[in-house]
Amino acid sequence: MTPPDWLLQLLGGAAVVMLFLFLSVFWPFRPASKKVQPTPEHKGCLKQQQQRRALHELEVMRPGLIHAAFNRDYVSRGDMEMQGWSWHLMMFEYDLPVW
């Protein structure tokens, strides 16, 4: 003898509600209870990052430059050991003479 449909639906609904209640503990979008104040070291790092960004914009991202980025695949096993040389960024002045 099987239980009636209304009982099975009630048990299924209760299981879903319990699952939502259990998973609400792990919900990532809960508001933070209190704000974290930055430490002086963190403020120094933020200032250094802002200075590096300003210098980068001044030297690299200025108008009148043509940026050509290229990379190459590794050819031999020794190439893989040399880190950081597989891509390059070349910058040319827009009005650079060809000869």
Side-chain angles (χ1 to χ4, degrees):
M1 179 172 171
T2 60
D5 287 342
W6 63 268
L7 181 62
L8 293 176
Q9 289 176 352
L10 183 66
L11 287 174
V16 170
V17 168
M18 291 299 290
L19 181 65
F20 279 133
L21 288 175
F22 176 72
L23 292 178
S24 68
V25 175
F26 303 109
W27 187 253
F29 301 110
R30 287 190 312 199
S33 58
K34 59 183 195 178
K35 292 211 167 211
V36 177
Q37 297 295 327
T39 61
E41 295 87 16
H42 185 67
K43 287 181 182 179
C45 290
L46 289 176
K47 186 175 180 180
Q48 183 182 11
Q49 287 176 352
Q50 290 172 348
Q51 290 173 348
R52 290 177 65 192
R53 182 181 176 122
L55 183 64
H56 175 75
E57 289 175 353
L58 180 68
E59 292 180 353
V60 177
M61 301 303 292
R62 67 178 189 253
L65 283 181
I66 298 173
H67 294 89
F70 62 94
N71 64 356
R72 63 184 285 277
D73 291 333
Y74 295 124
V75 179
S76 67
R77 191 172 184 157
D79 291 345
M80 289 186 272
E81 294 172 2
M82 298 178 69
Q83 297 292 328
W85 76 291
S86 63
W87 71 273
H88 298 281
L89 176 68
M90 296 181 70
M91 296 174 288
F92 302 101
E93 295 288 336
Y94 182 70
D95 57 353
L96 184 71
V98 178
W99 47 358

XYZ file of all heavy atoms in Angstrom:
821
model
N 0.830 -1.170 0.000
C 0.000 0.000 0.000
C 0.886 1.250 0.000
O 1.786 1.383 0.822
C -0.885 -0.031 1.244
C -1.766 1.138 1.378
S -2.888 0.803 2.739
C -3.620 2.340 2.877
N 0.656 2.151 -0.933
C 1.454 3.369 -1.048
C 0.764 4.508 -0.316
O -0.461 4.543 -0.203
C 1.627 3.747 -2.533
O 0.345 3.975 -3.103
C 2.344 2.654 -3.294
N 1.571 5.450 0.195
C 0.946 6.600 0.863
C 0.219 7.486 -0.158
O 0.526 7.463 -1.343
C 2.120 7.329 1.502
C 3.338 6.781 0.896
C 3.009 5.476 0.286
N -0.713 8.276 0.308
C -1.453 9.132 -0.624
C -0.542 10.203 -1.240
O 0.497 10.560 -0.699
C -2.545 9.761 0.239
C -2.200 9.465 1.640
C -1.211 8.364 1.653
N -0.966 10.733 -2.382
C -0.164 11.723 -3.108
C 0.055 12.990 -2.294
O 1.122 13.587 -2.334
C -0.834 12.070 -4.437
C -0.715 10.948 -5.454
O 0.160 10.077 -5.258
O -1.480 10.960 -6.440
N -0.938 13.421 -1.555
C -0.791 14.658 -0.792
C 0.294 14.531 0.270
O 1.011 15.484 0.556
C -2.128 15.077 -0.165
C -2.668 14.096 0.840
C -3.513 13.073 0.610
C -2.353 14.052 2.231
N -3.773 12.374 1.749
C -3.064 12.967 2.789
C -1.570 14.807 3.072
C -3.009 12.627 4.127
C -1.510 14.486 4.415
C -2.221 13.396 4.937
N 0.460 13.312 0.831
C 1.495 13.102 1.833
C 2.883 13.127 1.184
O 3.825 13.714 1.716
C 1.264 11.770 2.568
C 2.267 11.445 3.676
C 2.200 12.489 4.777
C 2.023 10.061 4.225
N 3.013 12.522 0.015
C 4.289 12.544 -0.693
C 4.653 13.966 -1.113
O 5.822 14.374 -1.020
C 4.233 11.625 -1.909
C 4.106 10.123 -1.607
C 3.951 9.341 -2.904
C 5.313 9.640 -0.842
N 3.666 14.747 -1.567
C 3.934 16.130 -1.941
C 4.324 16.956 -0.719
O 5.215 17.812 -0.791
C 2.709 16.737 -2.620
C 2.460 16.163 -4.004
C 1.188 16.717 -4.626
O 0.411 17.416 -3.976
N 0.982 16.402 -5.889
N 3.694 16.703 0.406
C 4.032 17.419 1.631
C 5.458 17.085 2.085
O 6.230 17.975 2.462
C 3.029 17.064 2.727
C 3.213 17.790 4.061
C 2.941 19.273 3.886
C 2.286 17.199 5.102
N 5.831 15.825 2.025
C 7.197 15.425 2.394
C 8.225 16.022 1.434
O 9.298 16.473 1.858
C 7.311 13.902 2.409
C 6.623 13.182 3.571
C 6.702 11.676 3.370
C 7.251 13.581 4.884
N 7.920 16.040 0.134
C 8.840 16.623 -0.835
C 9.008 18.121 -0.626
O 10.119 18.656 -0.684
N 7.898 18.815 -0.356
C 7.984 20.250 -0.091
C 8.771 20.548 1.168
O 9.558 21.494 1.223
N 8.566 19.756 2.199
C 9.310 19.944 3.446
C 10.801 19.701 3.234
O 11.645 20.413 3.790
C 8.753 19.021 4.529
N 11.132 18.703 2.412
C 12.546 18.434 2.132
C 13.182 19.602 1.397
O 14.330 19.992 1.678
C 12.676 17.146 1.324
N 12.464 20.202 0.444
C 13.003 21.349 -0.295
C 13.188 22.547 0.625
O 14.209 23.240 0.572
C 12.086 21.687 -1.495
C 12.464 23.010 -2.127
C 12.129 20.580 -2.530
N 12.226 22.807 1.506
C 12.339 23.921 2.447
C 13.522 23.712 3.382
O 14.297 24.638 3.645
C 11.019 24.095 3.235
C 11.204 25.042 4.409
C 9.918 24.595 2.323
N 13.697 22.504 3.884
C 14.834 22.213 4.761
C 16.163 22.386 4.018
O 17.142 22.872 4.587
C 14.724 20.794 5.328
C 13.578 20.619 6.317
S 13.741 21.677 7.752
C 15.117 20.918 8.560
N 16.210 22.004 2.743
C 17.421 22.172 1.946
C 17.752 23.651 1.784
O 18.912 24.061 1.936
C 17.249 21.497 0.583
C 18.450 21.567 -0.351
C 19.616 20.798 0.237
C 18.090 21.040 -1.716
N 16.732 24.483 1.496
C 16.972 25.918 1.370
C 17.441 26.519 2.689
O 18.333 27.375 2.704
C 15.718 26.640 0.878
C 15.519 26.557 -0.604
C 14.274 26.224 -1.125
C 16.539 26.810 -1.495
C 14.074 26.144 -2.481
C 16.363 26.744 -2.854
C 15.119 26.406 -3.361
N 16.861 26.101 3.782
C 17.288 26.619 5.080
C 18.717 26.204 5.393
O 19.493 26.979 5.942
C 16.342 26.137 6.180
C 14.951 26.768 6.188
C 14.077 26.118 7.258
C 15.047 28.261 6.416
N 19.069 24.984 5.051
C 20.429 24.518 5.300
C 21.437 25.264 4.423
O 22.504 25.655 4.880
C 20.517 23.013 5.046
C 21.909 22.470 5.188
C 22.494 22.356 6.434
C 22.639 22.083 4.076
C 23.776 21.867 6.571
C 23.917 21.597 4.203
C 24.490 21.484 5.456
N 21.102 25.488 3.150
C 22.032 26.148 2.242
C 22.087 27.658 2.430
O 23.005 28.310 1.946
C 21.667 25.818 0.789
C 21.897 24.363 0.381
C 21.463 24.142 -1.053
C 23.335 23.960 0.566
N 21.119 28.247 3.125
C 21.146 29.701 3.344
C 22.326 30.106 4.222
O 22.755 31.249 4.194
C 19.839 30.161 3.965
O 19.716 29.665 5.279
N 22.855 29.168 4.987
C 24.035 29.461 5.803
C 25.229 29.751 4.912
O 26.079 30.586 5.219
C 24.334 28.268 6.740
C 25.616 28.498 7.518
C 23.169 28.027 7.674
N 25.304 29.099 3.766
C 26.443 29.231 2.866
C 26.199 30.235 1.749
O 26.964 30.293 0.805
C 26.779 27.870 2.253
C 27.058 26.826 3.288
C 26.162 25.799 3.503
C 28.203 26.889 4.051
C 26.409 24.836 4.452
C 28.461 25.941 5.016
C 27.563 24.905 5.217
N 25.141 31.026 1.806
C 24.808 31.965 0.737
C 25.876 33.056 0.661
O 26.157 33.725 1.650
C 23.437 32.578 0.995
C 22.955 33.419 -0.125
C 22.876 34.764 -0.159
C 22.482 32.964 -1.388
N 22.387 35.187 -1.344
C 22.140 34.102 -2.136
C 22.328 31.719 -1.972
C 21.650 34.017 -3.423
C 21.832 31.648 -3.249
C 21.500 32.779 -3.958
N 26.511 33.258 -0.511
C 27.644 34.197 -0.571
C 27.243 35.655 -0.613
O 28.084 36.515 -0.449
C 28.343 33.798 -1.874
C 27.259 33.230 -2.717
C 26.322 32.548 -1.759
N 25.982 35.982 -0.818
C 25.598 37.369 -1.010
C 24.978 37.979 0.245
O 24.182 38.884 0.164
C 24.627 37.492 -2.190
C 25.215 36.993 -3.471
C 24.744 35.830 -4.053
C 26.242 37.668 -4.076
C 25.282 35.373 -5.225
C 26.788 37.216 -5.248
C 26.314 36.067 -5.827
N 25.351 37.473 1.390
C 24.850 38.065 2.622
C 25.605 39.362 2.874
O 26.805 39.459 2.612
C 25.079 37.120 3.794
C 24.148 35.938 3.769
C 24.254 35.185 5.039
N 25.672 34.959 5.380
C 26.081 34.057 6.213
N 25.230 33.287 6.817
N 27.347 33.901 6.467
N 24.941 40.371 3.403
C 25.657 41.622 3.697
C 26.661 41.408 4.821
O 26.427 40.630 5.750
C 24.554 42.597 4.113
C 23.399 41.733 4.496
C 23.523 40.454 3.709
N 27.772 42.088 4.713
C 28.805 41.966 5.734
C 28.334 42.610 7.028
O 27.661 43.644 7.023
C 30.091 42.625 5.265
N 28.683 42.023 8.136
C 28.205 42.535 9.415
C 28.927 43.826 9.797
O 28.335 44.740 10.323
C 28.374 41.473 10.494
O 29.723 41.104 10.589
N 30.220 43.929 9.523
C 30.926 45.172 9.808
C 32.031 45.373 8.784
O 32.584 44.422 8.244
C 31.480 45.189 11.220
C 32.441 44.088 11.557
C 32.847 44.208 13.006
C 34.060 43.369 13.299
N 34.519 43.471 14.646
N 32.335 46.638 8.543
C 33.352 46.976 7.556
C 34.737 46.818 8.155
O 34.958 47.111 9.324
C 33.159 48.393 7.054
C 31.914 48.579 6.246
C 32.167 49.641 5.240
C 31.038 49.583 4.229
N 31.455 49.980 2.965
N 35.661 46.386 7.327
C 37.033 46.218 7.758
C 37.796 47.499 7.431
O 37.756 47.984 6.299
C 37.683 45.013 7.044
C 39.129 44.876 7.436
C 36.904 43.752 7.357
N 38.450 48.050 8.407
C 39.226 49.269 8.198
C 40.607 48.892 7.655
O 41.246 47.962 8.154
C 39.387 50.024 9.522
C 38.085 50.505 10.108
C 37.430 51.555 9.224
O 38.098 52.340 8.572
N 36.113 51.551 9.201
N 41.072 49.591 6.617
C 42.398 49.262 6.071
C 43.508 49.631 7.058
O 43.431 50.641 7.751
C 42.488 50.107 4.802
C 41.470 51.177 4.955
C 40.416 50.650 5.864
N 44.513 48.794 7.086
C 45.655 49.037 7.956
C 46.599 50.030 7.279
O 46.494 50.271 6.080
C 46.405 47.716 8.229
O 46.873 47.204 6.986
C 45.493 46.699 8.895
N 47.526 50.612 8.020
C 48.488 51.536 7.387
C 49.328 50.865 6.294
O 49.652 51.490 5.293
C 49.363 51.995 8.558
C 48.522 51.815 9.771
C 47.645 50.636 9.481
N 49.657 49.570 6.487
C 50.416 48.865 5.460
C 49.591 48.729 4.184
O 50.096 48.879 3.079
C 50.835 47.470 5.943
C 51.803 47.485 7.107
C 51.096 47.552 8.457
O 49.888 47.280 8.512
O 51.759 47.901 9.438
N 48.295 48.453 4.367
C 47.407 48.313 3.215
C 47.257 49.648 2.490
O 47.229 49.703 1.263
C 46.042 47.794 3.671
C 45.102 47.510 2.562
N 45.301 46.496 1.658
C 43.954 48.133 2.186
C 44.316 46.499 0.786
N 43.481 47.480 1.081
N 47.167 50.739 3.256
C 47.067 52.056 2.637
C 48.333 52.379 1.850
O 48.270 52.966 0.776
C 46.833 53.121 3.701
C 45.445 53.103 4.281
C 45.277 54.195 5.311
C 43.906 54.150 5.940
N 43.735 55.188 6.974
N 49.489 51.969 2.382
C 50.749 52.191 1.666
C 50.791 51.405 0.366
O 51.265 51.907 -0.657
N 50.289 50.164 0.389
C 50.251 49.355 -0.825
C 49.310 49.967 -1.852
O 49.617 49.982 -3.050
C 49.822 47.927 -0.504
S 51.036 46.973 0.405
N 48.161 50.482 -1.410
C 47.220 51.116 -2.332
C 47.839 52.352 -2.977
O 47.686 52.590 -4.171
C 45.932 51.479 -1.609
C 45.032 50.321 -1.212
C 43.837 50.829 -0.412
C 44.553 49.575 -2.441
N 48.571 53.136 -2.177
C 49.222 54.326 -2.721
C 50.289 53.933 -3.740
O 50.413 54.551 -4.797
C 49.842 55.136 -1.581
C 50.416 56.446 -2.023
C 50.902 57.253 -0.837
C 51.469 58.577 -1.302
N 51.958 59.379 -0.177
N 51.048 52.881 -3.441
C 52.075 52.409 -4.371
C 51.441 51.903 -5.661
O 51.945 52.173 -6.753
C 52.904 51.310 -3.719
C 54.035 50.817 -4.584
C 54.810 49.696 -3.909
O 54.380 49.153 -2.895
N 55.941 49.355 -4.474
N 50.324 51.201 -5.574
C 49.632 50.734 -6.772
C 49.132 51.904 -7.611
O 49.225 51.873 -8.842
C 48.465 49.833 -6.388
C 48.867 48.475 -5.884
C 47.674 47.660 -5.426
O 46.552 48.155 -5.346
N 47.915 46.402 -5.110
N 48.613 52.934 -6.970
C 48.145 54.107 -7.703
C 49.299 54.813 -8.396
O 49.170 55.276 -9.535
C 47.419 55.062 -6.757
C 46.097 54.544 -6.263
C 45.495 55.411 -5.180
O 46.161 56.297 -4.633
N 44.238 55.155 -4.847
N 50.454 54.890 -7.751
C 51.618 55.513 -8.369
C 52.105 54.699 -9.560
O 52.457 55.266 -10.600
C 52.734 55.676 -7.346
C 52.460 56.713 -6.289
C 53.511 56.715 -5.201
O 54.327 55.808 -5.102
N 53.479 57.759 -4.365
N 52.138 53.382 -9.427
C 52.569 52.530 -10.535
C 51.617 52.632 -11.713
O 52.030 52.655 -12.868
C 52.687 51.081 -10.068
C 53.840 50.849 -9.120
C 53.878 49.441 -8.631
N 54.137 48.526 -9.724
C 54.001 47.216 -9.627
N 53.606 46.682 -8.504
N 54.254 46.450 -10.655
N 50.308 52.723 -11.424
C 49.330 52.859 -12.498
C 49.497 54.197 -13.223
O 49.434 54.269 -14.438
C 47.918 52.735 -11.932
C 46.863 52.824 -12.988
C 45.488 52.730 -12.393
N 44.500 52.904 -13.420
C 43.570 52.045 -13.717
N 43.489 50.923 -13.037
N 42.717 52.289 -14.669
N 49.712 55.271 -12.463
C 49.906 56.582 -13.083
C 51.160 56.591 -13.952
O 51.154 57.139 -15.061
C 49.985 57.653 -12.010
N 52.234 55.973 -13.483
C 53.468 55.896 -14.271
C 53.255 55.065 -15.530
O 53.735 55.421 -16.610
C 54.596 55.312 -13.424
C 55.964 55.229 -14.089
C 56.475 56.620 -14.390
C 56.943 54.486 -13.192
N 52.514 53.975 -15.406
C 52.227 53.128 -16.568
C 51.412 53.905 -17.604
O 51.693 53.847 -18.798
C 51.462 51.886 -16.122
C 51.024 51.002 -17.242
N 51.895 50.185 -17.913
C 49.809 50.825 -17.808
C 51.234 49.534 -18.856
N 49.959 49.904 -18.809
N 50.403 54.643 -17.150
C 49.601 55.428 -18.087
C 50.428 56.522 -18.736
O 50.235 56.836 -19.906
C 48.400 56.028 -17.365
C 47.366 55.002 -16.986
C 46.234 55.580 -16.169
O 46.324 56.782 -15.789
O 45.278 54.842 -15.913
N 51.374 57.094 -17.990
C 52.205 58.153 -18.530
C 53.166 57.623 -19.590
O 53.341 58.228 -20.648
C 52.983 58.830 -17.403
C 53.902 59.975 -17.797
C 53.055 61.149 -18.263
C 54.765 60.381 -16.624
N 53.785 56.453 -19.338
C 54.799 55.928 -20.240
C 54.228 55.086 -21.375
O 54.698 55.158 -22.501
C 55.808 55.078 -19.460
C 56.666 55.875 -18.518
C 57.647 55.008 -17.770
O 57.571 53.770 -17.896
O 58.482 55.558 -17.059
N 53.233 54.259 -21.091
C 52.789 53.258 -22.056
C 51.487 53.644 -22.745
O 51.344 53.475 -23.949
C 52.649 51.877 -21.369
C 52.130 50.841 -22.321
C 53.978 51.449 -20.788
N 50.549 54.153 -22.009
C 49.213 54.362 -22.554
C 48.999 55.769 -23.117
O 47.886 56.208 -23.272
C 48.162 54.080 -21.471
C 48.228 52.682 -20.924
S 48.048 51.404 -22.162
C 46.360 51.625 -22.622
N 50.075 56.464 -23.417
C 49.906 57.822 -23.926
C 49.436 57.793 -25.374
O 49.698 56.843 -26.107
C 51.198 58.602 -23.781
C 52.325 58.123 -24.646
C 53.555 59.004 -24.451
N 54.552 58.663 -25.430
C 55.653 58.018 -25.161
N 55.897 57.638 -23.930
N 56.513 57.731 -26.117
N 48.727 58.809 -25.810
C 48.266 58.838 -27.195
C 49.436 59.041 -28.148
O 50.460 59.599 -27.791
C 47.307 60.024 -27.234
C 47.619 60.842 -26.056
C 48.231 59.940 -25.038
N 49.271 58.587 -29.364
C 50.316 58.716 -30.369
C 51.231 57.517 -30.454
O 52.226 57.548 -31.172
N 50.927 56.458 -29.728
C 51.740 55.236 -29.776
C 50.966 54.137 -30.475
O 49.751 54.017 -30.327
C 52.100 54.751 -28.379
C 53.202 55.481 -27.638
C 53.418 54.836 -26.286
C 54.485 55.484 -28.408
N 51.679 53.344 -31.229
C 51.112 52.132 -31.815
C 51.651 50.963 -31.008
O 52.858 50.814 -30.855
C 51.500 51.992 -33.296
C 50.947 53.166 -34.096
C 51.005 50.676 -33.855
C 51.421 53.189 -35.524
N 50.752 50.142 -30.457
C 51.151 48.987 -29.655
C 51.080 47.738 -30.529
O 50.065 47.479 -31.152
C 50.225 48.818 -28.449
C 50.335 49.935 -27.473
N 49.568 51.062 -27.577
C 51.118 50.093 -26.387
C 49.871 51.876 -26.586
N 50.812 51.310 -25.845
N 52.159 47.000 -30.562
C 52.183 45.726 -31.289
C 52.579 44.641 -30.299
O 53.719 44.581 -29.848
C 53.171 45.789 -32.447
N 51.620 43.785 -29.956
C 51.886 42.685 -29.024
C 52.014 41.399 -29.814
O 51.241 41.147 -30.737
C 50.761 42.572 -28.012
N 53.021 40.614 -29.494
C 53.184 39.330 -30.169
C 53.772 38.329 -29.185
O 54.341 38.690 -28.167
C 54.072 39.467 -31.414
C 55.475 39.920 -31.126
C 56.486 38.997 -30.945
C 55.778 41.271 -31.045
C 57.776 39.402 -30.693
C 57.067 41.686 -30.791
C 58.065 40.757 -30.612
N 53.599 37.062 -29.517
C 54.175 36.001 -28.705
C 54.666 34.899 -29.618
O 54.445 34.921 -30.820
C 53.173 35.467 -27.687
C 51.980 34.818 -28.339
O 51.837 34.816 -29.562
N 51.101 34.279 -27.538
N 55.334 33.951 -29.031
C 55.824 32.814 -29.800
C 55.640 31.556 -28.972
O 55.639 31.600 -27.746
C 57.285 32.979 -30.199
C 58.237 33.050 -29.021
C 59.666 33.307 -29.434
N 60.306 32.163 -30.011
C 60.869 31.173 -29.333
N 60.805 31.178 -28.024
N 61.467 30.189 -29.943
N 55.461 30.453 -29.650
C 55.334 29.179 -28.961
C 56.707 28.679 -28.539
O 57.744 29.075 -29.086
C 54.672 28.136 -29.866
C 53.215 28.447 -30.119
O 52.605 29.104 -29.244
O 52.702 28.057 -31.164
N 56.702 27.797 -27.576
C 57.947 27.187 -27.152
C 58.438 26.228 -28.234
O 57.676 25.452 -28.793
C 57.747 26.420 -25.849
C 57.385 27.314 -24.693
C 56.238 27.104 -23.969
C 58.212 28.365 -24.322
C 55.905 27.914 -22.899
C 57.893 29.183 -23.259
C 56.740 28.950 -22.556
O 56.420 29.756 -21.502
N 59.711 26.289 -28.531
C 60.288 25.452 -29.573
C 61.001 24.245 -28.970
O 60.904 23.140 -29.486
C 61.267 26.275 -30.444
C 61.902 25.411 -31.510
C 60.545 27.449 -31.069
N 61.686 24.471 -27.883
C 62.422 23.368 -27.268
C 62.143 23.362 -25.769
O 61.486 24.253 -25.229
C 63.923 23.519 -27.524
O 64.402 24.653 -26.826
N 62.654 22.357 -25.128
C 62.424 22.212 -23.696
C 63.100 23.335 -22.911
O 62.622 23.769 -21.882
C 62.946 20.865 -23.254
C 62.542 20.498 -21.889
C 62.918 19.088 -21.604
N 62.431 18.740 -20.299
C 62.195 17.533 -19.902
N 62.413 16.528 -20.715
N 61.766 17.288 -18.701
N 64.211 23.826 -23.413
C 64.906 24.916 -22.740
C 64.121 26.210 -22.753
O 64.306 27.074 -21.900
N 63.249 26.387 -23.739
C 62.435 27.598 -23.799
C 61.464 27.667 -22.632
O 61.141 28.744 -22.150
C 61.640 27.653 -25.106
C 62.532 27.883 -26.309
O 63.697 28.272 -26.099
O 62.060 27.687 -27.436
N 60.978 26.517 -22.195
C 59.995 26.500 -21.119
C 60.610 26.898 -19.785
O 59.932 27.382 -18.902
C 59.359 25.121 -21.008
C 58.429 24.821 -22.154
S 57.564 23.282 -21.927
C 58.725 22.148 -22.645
N 61.916 26.708 -19.646
C 62.570 27.047 -18.392
C 62.775 28.553 -18.253
O 62.872 29.067 -17.157
C 63.914 26.332 -18.298
C 63.759 24.824 -18.212
C 65.088 24.104 -18.307
O 66.116 24.791 -18.403
O 65.077 22.864 -18.271
N 62.817 29.264 -19.370
C 62.992 30.717 -19.334
C 61.612 31.349 -19.229
O 60.875 31.430 -20.194
C 63.722 31.197 -20.581
C 65.114 30.621 -20.724
S 65.915 31.144 -22.215
C 66.174 32.856 -21.890
N 61.263 31.775 -18.056
C 59.929 32.313 -17.807
C 59.855 33.769 -18.235
O 60.782 34.534 -18.063
C 59.589 32.200 -16.325
C 59.523 30.797 -15.818
C 58.333 30.044 -16.400
O 57.305 30.628 -16.677
N 58.501 28.754 -16.607
N 58.710 34.162 -18.765
C 58.435 35.563 -19.019
C 58.978 36.120 -20.315
O 58.960 37.328 -20.509
N 59.474 35.326 -21.197
C 59.995 35.887 -22.440
C 59.195 35.434 -23.646
O 59.551 35.723 -24.773
C 61.452 35.521 -22.626
C 61.685 34.115 -23.060
C 61.486 32.992 -22.342
C 62.134 33.688 -24.333
N 61.790 31.896 -23.067
C 62.197 32.292 -24.303
C 62.504 34.345 -25.497
C 62.600 31.546 -25.392
C 62.920 33.593 -26.577
C 62.960 32.206 -26.517
N 58.079 34.789 -23.459
C 57.332 34.266 -24.590
C 56.462 35.330 -25.253
O 56.023 35.141 -26.362
C 56.455 33.087 -24.170
O 55.498 33.524 -23.242
N 56.208 36.455 -24.607
C 55.435 37.511 -25.251
C 56.152 38.837 -25.076
O 56.888 39.045 -24.119
C 54.017 37.591 -24.713
C 53.925 38.120 -23.314
C 54.031 37.396 -22.175
C 53.742 39.477 -22.930
N 53.914 38.216 -21.096
C 53.728 39.504 -21.531
C 53.576 40.663 -23.627
C 53.568 40.677 -20.827
C 53.403 41.826 -22.913
C 53.400 41.822 -21.535
N 55.926 39.725 -26.036
C 56.566 41.034 -26.021
C 55.559 42.088 -26.450
O 54.627 41.802 -27.204
C 57.756 41.074 -26.975
C 58.836 40.111 -26.612
N 59.745 40.357 -25.617
C 59.138 38.895 -27.093
C 60.567 39.333 -25.518
N 60.214 38.423 -26.402
N 55.773 43.290 -26.017
C 54.965 44.431 -26.420
C 55.912 45.474 -26.973
O 56.805 45.947 -26.283
C 54.184 44.998 -25.231
C 53.378 46.256 -25.506
C 52.231 45.932 -26.452
C 52.853 46.848 -24.226
N 55.731 45.792 -28.237
C 56.552 46.823 -28.869
C 55.689 48.058 -29.062
O 54.521 47.965 -29.440
C 57.096 46.328 -30.198
C 58.040 45.151 -30.049
S 58.706 44.593 -31.608
C 59.780 45.942 -32.006
N 56.277 49.217 -28.813
C 55.558 50.475 -28.958
C 56.308 51.344 -29.951
O 57.531 51.502 -29.867
C 55.463 51.177 -27.605
C 54.650 50.401 -26.596
S 54.668 51.127 -24.969
C 56.336 50.772 -24.459
N 55.575 51.891 -30.902
C 56.144 52.758 -31.921
C 55.430 54.092 -31.893
O 54.216 54.155 -31.696
C 55.967 52.137 -33.321
C 56.594 50.789 -33.463
C 55.815 49.648 -33.402
C 57.940 50.654 -33.655
C 56.374 48.398 -33.533
C 58.516 49.407 -33.786
C 57.732 48.280 -33.726
N 56.189 55.153 -32.117
C 55.563 56.461 -32.261
C 54.749 56.474 -33.543
O 55.118 55.844 -34.537
C 56.616 57.567 -32.304
C 57.400 57.732 -31.028
C 56.574 58.344 -29.911
O 55.585 59.042 -30.202
O 56.924 58.105 -28.753
N 53.639 57.181 -33.522
C 52.748 57.205 -34.675
C 53.417 57.848 -35.883
O 53.258 57.405 -37.002
C 51.462 57.957 -34.313
C 50.471 57.995 -35.436
C 49.806 56.847 -35.826
C 50.178 59.181 -36.105
C 48.895 56.868 -36.853
C 49.273 59.215 -37.134
C 48.627 58.045 -37.502
O 47.727 58.073 -38.529
N 54.227 58.884 -35.658
C 54.872 59.583 -36.773
C 56.335 59.189 -36.931
O 57.149 59.991 -37.372
C 54.723 61.083 -36.588
C 55.288 61.556 -35.259
O 55.672 60.700 -34.449
O 55.325 62.774 -35.052
N 56.685 57.982 -36.592
C 58.053 57.496 -36.691
C 58.461 57.348 -38.166
O 57.738 56.725 -38.949
C 58.180 56.134 -35.995
C 59.576 55.519 -35.913
C 60.421 56.320 -34.931
C 59.476 54.085 -35.471
N 59.580 57.931 -38.577
C 59.994 57.761 -39.986
C 60.452 56.334 -40.247
O 61.011 55.669 -39.378
C 61.147 58.751 -40.145
C 61.643 59.003 -38.768
C 60.478 58.812 -37.839
N 60.207 55.862 -41.455
C 60.528 54.490 -41.805
C 62.018 54.302 -42.024
O 62.578 53.266 -41.745
C 59.722 54.064 -43.063
C 60.078 52.662 -43.472
C 58.248 54.209 -42.816
N 62.715 55.297 -42.515
C 64.137 55.121 -42.795
C 65.023 55.904 -41.949
O 65.022 56.712 -41.286
C 64.438 55.388 -44.233
C 63.840 56.646 -44.789
C 63.055 57.543 -44.194
C 63.992 57.102 -46.114
N 62.694 58.531 -45.035
C 63.246 58.270 -46.235
C 64.654 56.623 -47.228
C 63.181 58.987 -47.417
C 64.574 57.336 -48.381
C 63.846 58.503 -48.473
